[in-house]
Amino acid sequence: MMVKITWRRVVFALCAVAALGMAVAWLGLVPIAASSGHWRITTWFLHWTMQNSARTYSAINTPEKVRDDDGLISAAGHFRQACQVCHGAPGVPPRR
C-alpha cells in the first residue's frame, strides 16, 4: 500500500512533530542544564546562533557611547553573584 503525499499530510506531519517536541519540553523529559553539557551539533548551533544574533543586533543598535565606566562595578558585582557560580570566571572554573 502506498501513501499519497499531499500538502495536507505534510502540514499535519510538521504540526505533529512540533506538538511532540512541545510535549517533550513541557513534560521535562530532556534535562536542560548548563552543567550537563551539550551534543557537539547543539553546541555548534547555539554558538553559531549567538554570534549571528550579536552581529545583527550590534549592526542595528550600536549605542553612541559604547562603554559606560559608571556601570562596570555594578555589572561586575552582578556577574559575581548571578553568573560566576555556573559559568566560572578568570581563575574560577565553571561548575560541572
Side-chain angles (χ1 to χ4, degrees), residues 8 19 26-27 34 43 48 66 68 70 77 79 82 87 89 91 95-96:
R8 178 181 279 184
W26 180 67
L27 292 171
T43 300
W48 179 72
V66 177
D68 181 14
D70 296 335
F79 179 84
H87 295 280
R95 184 175 63 179
R96 292 274 171 190

Side-chain angles (χ1 to χ4, degrees), residues 73-89 92 95:
I73 294 173
S74 174
H78 171 74
F79 179 84
R80 183 169 186 216
Q81 294 296 320
C83 307
Q84 177 182 335
V85 176
C86 294
H87 295 280
V92 179
R95 184 175 63 179

Side-chain angles (χ1 to χ4, degrees), residues 4-85:
K4 185 177 179 184
I5 297 176
T6 64
W7 282 109
R8 178 181 279 184
R9 288 184 177 155
V10 170
V11 170
F12 178 77
L14 291 174
C15 289
V17 168
L20 179 63
M22 290 300 292
V24 168
W26 180 67
L27 292 171
L29 299 176
V30 178
I32 305 293
S35 61
S36 66
H38 298 291
W39 296 326
R40 286 184 183 193
I41 188 73
T42 306
T43 300
W44 170 82
F45 180 76
L46 291 173
H47 283 277
W48 179 72
T49 303
M50 176 191 64
Q51 290 170 348
N52 290 335
S53 175
R55 186 182 311 114
T56 300
Y57 184 78
S58 66
I60 296 170
N61 294 319
T62 302
E64 290 185 25
K65 185 177 179 185
V66 177
R67 181 172 168 178
D68 181 14
D69 291 337
D70 296 335
L72 287 178
I73 294 173
S74 174
H78 171 74
F79 179 84
R80 183 169 186 216
Q81 294 296 320
C83 307
Q84 177 182 335
V85 176

